[in-house]
């Protein structure tokens, strides 16, 4: 394995009977990364994370952490720490006892444990709640206890299983900031599992998108947004317009004003365009399609235009409000164009 | 006051009186200084209890009962906990099916159960006595203990257990530091429930015991003499039962 990869998965697989939860997966994660595994529910992302943490045994494959094969080790013998979706706090303990649990198991001297717990509570702003019993904490406080409890053991990898899913939107935003700050402060390696693409874009510096038990694309959030591997990724990361077409002899015919030259094998393709890549009344020569306006939503700086092509394909266009001389009316016809250099042509499956 | 207001209350009082009066009378007569469990009561005193305390039969029966009650309570809790932990790992459907099977003895009349146990113990050559009675009592205490513990375990937060493992605890250590504190009260409650049920049983004890227990002692006494000494034994059983049950209720959410 490359010396710089902190975590590596070699063909890691999990089957439940005939159902393949995680297809053979290879992955390497560098030390210091904030890595996110993104996918819809049931795509296998949590199973993958639990195999890294040692809670699910892989049906096949090897898990390496820091150069050691940990595939056969239980969670207590892996250098990983986990933050569970519902936190899994010890309800019969106080905040301090929860955070100290791991160090007590290691039989560290009392004074060292106390000092480390105090430091950890300062880091996650819980000092004032030290002696509060776990059941009396709010959602955000529980989250912080779970984080502190795992981080105090200085795990080589911190695994976060949808850690913010149970919090309301405002609290989630606050915790995003705190998670980023924590990651920078301690310089550890974080692996986050989430179905929320905006969370992943905010937090992670590398992303793997999963669907149907396999990783369909891996890269920086920006790579994945600008060059999605397929229509699924394009619609899952950010919003995307997917216009189906058929390529014959190096040409894709979408309509009278939208004949695109594009080399490739004959067959069905999808043209992917981000809502901000489409414009109203494009300059002549640019490809364009006629559509009827379904709805118009004014959001201050931006105006969202929901349109439908005559064959029923829905299009979403984000327009800058200040560039609009007149606002198209719902029910009216508009011409929507784009710059062909920005379009992404994906072979349809 | 209209009859519509009065009637339900009178009815409720009558039912209550019907249920509780016999018990109260039993206790009351045990304190009599007379020679029969009947009115009029000459005066109140602890005479019959004094005689009981000196009676070798009572002491022997109390000792036997204590062994059976404690043995049954401990064994039912230990085996029930192991069973519930195992059931917890199965699917809910399989667990419920096994629990139902375990509960079958509860549906058989105690007389039939006692008779078949007697036959069975004879067949396998087990000598009647404390061990036989404890085993027999396990038959109807184990399903209850197992059900209560399984219910408690299945509402437990699994993530807490996984978190303990993640933080370095072996499976055994995680059980002691996380599972036990959570189910501890239920465990104590279950033990007391099993003890109360064992203490209250007469029929099955009658078939399987080698020497008198408190309940078979009463039965024996009633066949020879009818005196307030029986009431004193009965009052003892009532007192222990009530205390055990009250403590058990405090520890579990079990309500019958």
């Amino acid at each position: 394995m490359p010396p710089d990869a902190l975590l590596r998965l070699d063909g890691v697989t999990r089957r439940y009977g005939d159902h393949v939860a995680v297809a053979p997966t290879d992955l390497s994660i560098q030390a210091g990364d904030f890595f996110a595994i993104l996918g819809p529910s049931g795509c296998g992302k949590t199973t993958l994370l639990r195999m890294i943490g040692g809670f699910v045994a892989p049906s096949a494959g090897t898990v390496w952490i820091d150069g050691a094969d940990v595939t056969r080790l239980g969670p207590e013998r892996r250098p990983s720490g986990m933050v569970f979706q519902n936190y899994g706090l010890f309800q019969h303990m106080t905040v301090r006892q929860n955070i100290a649990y791991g160090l007590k198991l290691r039989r560290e001297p009392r004074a060292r444990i106390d000092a480390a717990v105090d430091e950890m509570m300062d880091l996650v702003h819980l000092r004032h709640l030290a002696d509060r019993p776990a059941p009396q904490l709010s959602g955000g406080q529980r989250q912080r206890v779970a984080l502190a409890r795992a981080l105090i053991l200085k795990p080589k990898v911190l695994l976060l299983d949808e850690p913010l899913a149970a919090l309301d939107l405002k609290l989630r935003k606050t915790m995003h900031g705190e998670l980023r700050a924590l990651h920078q402060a301690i310089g550890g390696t974080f692996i986050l599992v989430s179905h929320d693409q905006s969370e992943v874009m905010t937090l992670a510096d590398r992303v793997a998108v999963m669907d149907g038990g396999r990783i369909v694309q891996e890269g920086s959030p920006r790579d994945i947004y600008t060059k999605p591997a397929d229509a699924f990724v394009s619609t899952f990361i950010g919003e995307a317009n997917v216009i189906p077409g058929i390529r014959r002899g190096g040409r894709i015919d979408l309509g009278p004003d939208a004949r695109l030259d594009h080399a490739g094998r004959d067959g069905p393709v999808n043209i992917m365009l981000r809502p901000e890549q489409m414009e109203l009344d494009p300059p002549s020569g640019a490809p364009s399609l006629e559509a009827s306006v379904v709805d118009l939503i004014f959001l201050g700086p931006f105006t969202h235009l929901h349109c439908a092509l005559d064959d029923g394909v829905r299009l979403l266009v984000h327009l800058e409000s200040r560039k609009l001389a007149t606002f198209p009316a719902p029910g009216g016809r508009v011409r929507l164009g784009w710059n062909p250099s920005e379009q992404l042509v994906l072979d349809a499956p | 006051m209209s009859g519509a207001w009065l009637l339900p209350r009178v009815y409720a009082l009558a039912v209550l009186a019907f249920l509780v009066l016999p018990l109260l009378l039993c206790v009351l007569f045990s304190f009599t200084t007379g020679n029969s469990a009947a009115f009029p009561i000459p005066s109140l005193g602890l005479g019959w209890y004094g005689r009981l305390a000196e009676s070798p039969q009572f002491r022997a029966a109390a000792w036997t009962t204590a062994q059976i009650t404690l043995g049954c309570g401990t064994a039912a809790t230990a085996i029930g906990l192991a069973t519930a932990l195992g059931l917890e790992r199965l699917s809910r459907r399989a667990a419920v099916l096994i629990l139902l099977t375990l509960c079958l003895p509860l549906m058989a009349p105690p007389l039939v159960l006692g008779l078949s146990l007697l036959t069975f113990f004879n067949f396998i050559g087990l000598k009647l006595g404390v061990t036989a009675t404890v085993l027999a009592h396990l038959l109807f205490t184990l399903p209850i203990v197992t059900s209560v513990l399984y219910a408690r375990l299945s509402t437990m937060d699994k993530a807490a257990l996984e978190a303990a493992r993640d933080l370095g605890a072996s499976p055994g250590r995680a059980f002691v530091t996380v599972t036990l504190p959570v189910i501890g009260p239920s465990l104590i409650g279950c033990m007391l429930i099993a003890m109360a049920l064992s203490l209250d049983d007469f029929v099955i004890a009658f078939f399987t015991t080698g020497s008198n227990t408190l309940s078979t002692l009463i039965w024996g006494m009633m066949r020879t003499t009818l005196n307030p000494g029986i009431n004193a034994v009965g009052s003892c059983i009532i007192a222990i039962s009530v205390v055990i049950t009250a403590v058990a209720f405090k520890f579990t959410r079990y309500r019958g």
Side-chain angles (χ1 to χ4, degrees):
Chain A
M1 66 186 282
D4 54 342
L6 180 72
L7 178 124
R8 201 173 94 181
L9 306 181
D10 279 336
V12 165
T13 311
R14 178 68 214 196
R15 284 182 293 270
Y16 292 100
D18 287 340
H19 173 67
V20 178
V22 176
T25 297
D26 301 322
L27 187 68
S28 26
I29 294 172
Q30 312 301 311
D33 268 357
F34 200 135
F35 193 93
I37 303 170
L38 176 70
S41 61
C43 73
K45 57 188 190 300
T46 293
T47 308
L48 190 63
L49 192 78
R50 290 174 66 80
M51 287 196 284
I52 299 173
F55 300 102
V56 172
S59 312
T62 315
V63 180
W64 302 84
I65 300 178
D66 206 16
D69 177 357
V70 298
T71 317
R72 306 267 157 251
L73 301 184
E76 69 271 26
R77 294 171 64 201
R78 294 192 186 199
S80 55
M82 180 107 159
V83 174
F84 294 85
Q85 188 167 4
N86 295 314
Y87 319 133
L89 296 191
F90 307 132
Q91 299 292 331
H92 57 293
M93 296 185 192
T94 63
V95 168
R96 176 181 286 282
Q97 289 167 333
N98 262 281
I99 299 174
Y101 183 87
L103 289 180
K104 277 200 183 136
L105 284 180
R106 291 186 182 180
R107 299 182 191 283
E108 301 230 356
R110 183 68 192 261
R112 260 240 299 284
I113 296 180
D114 284 348
V117 172
D118 284 345
E119 192 187 328
M120 213 59 230
M121 286 194 297
D122 283 338
L123 193 62
V124 295
H125 318 297
L126 282 173
R127 193 66 175 266
H128 59 295
L129 299 173
D131 297 311
R132 187 166 293 190
Q136 291 173 24
L137 299 173
S138 72
Q141 290 162 352
R142 280 164 205 233
Q143 179 62 67
R144 290 196 190 95
V145 175
L147 269 169
R149 187 177 64 175
L151 284 174
I152 199 165
L153 297 179
K154 302 197 167 43
K156 285 181 178 149
V157 202
L158 183 71
L159 309 173
L160 302 145
D161 183 11
E162 304 255 10
L164 308 178
L167 305 179
D168 63 56
L169 187 65
K170 196 163 163 246
L171 200 52
R172 208 149 62 211
K173 291 254 155 79
T174 317
M175 287 305 296
H176 283 162
E178 289 197 19
L179 266 181
R180 269 183 82 98
L182 262 181
H183 181 246
Q184 276 156 12
I186 63 174
T189 309
F190 286 18
I191 304 179
L192 167 80
V193 152
S194 177
H195 66 274
D196 177 353
Q197 56 103 3
S198 72
E199 180 168 296
V200 166
M201 301 286 251
T202 313
L203 292 172
D205 38 43
R206 284 193 73 75
V207 181
V209 183
M210 276 190 86
D211 185 36
R214 56 188 74 242
I215 294 177
V216 284
Q217 191 172 7
E218 192 199 325
S220 71
R222 197 172 144 194
D223 282 349
I224 291 176
Y225 186 78
T226 51
K227 297 186 208 80
D230 60 21
F232 166 78
V233 177
S234 72
T235 51
F236 202 75
I237 301 261
E239 286 173 299
N241 295 306
V242 178
I243 309 165
I246 291 174
R247 177 165 50 207
R248 274 192 203 86
R251 170 168 273 233
I252 304 163
D253 194 355
L254 295 176
D257 298 310
R259 296 198 171 87
L260 312 166
D261 287 322
H262 194 272
R265 63 178 168 78
D266 286 1
V269 293
N270 287 313
I271 316 294
M272 198 283 287
L273 289 159
R274 297 287 176 194
E276 66 274 16
Q277 290 171 337
M278 301 196 83
E279 57 180 337
L280 215 50
D281 301 321
S284 61
S288 67
L289 293 166
E290 209 177 72
S292 46
V293 178
V294 177
D295 199 4
L296 177 138
I297 300 163
F298 176 73
L299 296 166
F302 292 96
T303 298
H304 290 184
L305 200 60
H306 293 262
C307 301
L309 297 177
D310 293 338
D311 56 8
V313 173
R314 305 285 286 225
L315 297 178
L316 174 65
V317 187
H318 293 178
L319 302 165
E320 280 184 79
S321 301
R322 66 191 173 88
K323 288 189 179 165
L324 284 176
T326 56
F327 287 88
R333 302 287 285 179
V334 287
R335 180 156 288 279
L336 300 170
W338 64 92
N339 181 345
S341 69
E342 290 188 322
Q343 78 195 11
L344 203 69
V345 181
L346 305 161
D347 285 328
Chain B
M1 290 296 162
S2 72
W5 178 87
L6 199 61
L7 211 60
R9 278 161 178 76
V10 169
Y11 173 73
L13 272 178
V15 170
L16 209 62
F18 182 74
L19 289 175
V20 177
L21 267 183
L23 292 177
L24 287 180
L25 280 181
C26 169
V27 176
L28 181 65
F29 287 138
S30 74
F31 289 107
T32 185
T33 50
N35 281 325
S36 65
F39 288 114
I41 296 172
S43 66
L44 296 177
L46 292 170
W48 288 106
Y49 287 93
R51 271 187 237 180
L52 265 192
E54 282 155 20
S55 144
Q57 286 99 325
F58 175 78
R59 284 162 171 245
W63 172 234
T64 308
T65 297
Q67 290 177 71
I68 293 170
T69 310
L70 280 172
C72 174
T74 319
T77 311
I79 301 171
L81 175 62
T83 315
L85 284 171
L87 289 179
E88 232 290 298
R89 290 169 171 235
L90 301 179
S91 72
R92 186 144 193 99
R93 267 186 57 156
V96 168
L97 205 71
I98 293 173
L99 271 181
L100 278 177
T101 316
L102 206 57
C103 285
L104 280 177
L106 292 181
M107 296 164 207
L111 196 66
V112 176
L113 218 53
L115 195 63
S116 47
L117 278 168
L118 180 63
T119 321
F120 179 67
F121 288 157
N122 275 330
F123 176 70
I124 63 169
L126 181 70
K127 227 173 126 257
L128 296 185
V130 171
T131 312
T133 313
V134 168
L135 286 177
H137 281 183
L138 281 179
L139 214 59
F140 62 87
T141 50
L142 207 50
I144 293 167
V145 169
T146 310
S147 305
V148 173
L149 288 180
Y150 174 71
R152 183 68 196 91
L153 281 174
S154 56
T155 54
M156 227 188 101
D157 182 11
K158 304 290 171 307
L161 212 56
E162 292 190 326
R165 296 288 307 282
D166 192 50
L167 297 167
S170 62
R173 189 108 188 109
F175 176 76
V176 172
T177 53
V178 178
T179 311
L180 266 191
V182 174
I183 65 164
S186 302
L187 273 183
I188 297 174
C190 278
M191 182 163 167
L192 295 174
I193 292 168
M195 285 168 67
L197 289 171
S198 164
L199 183 67
D200 289 349
D201 168 68
F202 161 71
V203 179
I204 291 172
F206 178 74
F207 277 101
T208 56
T209 191
S211 54
N212 265 337
T213 68
L214 285 182
S215 50
T216 59
L217 178 72
I218 293 183
W219 190 76
M221 285 165 82
M222 283 175 67
R223 299 214 315 169
T224 51
T225 47
L226 260 178
N227 68 37
I230 301 174
N231 296 65
V233 182
S235 301
C236 289
I237 296 183
I238 293 174
I240 302 169
S241 269
V242 166
V243 169
I244 291 179
T245 312
V247 180
F249 275 6
K250 223 184 133 42
F251 277 110
T252 55
R253 296 212 185 93
Y254 175 71
R255 295 287 184 270

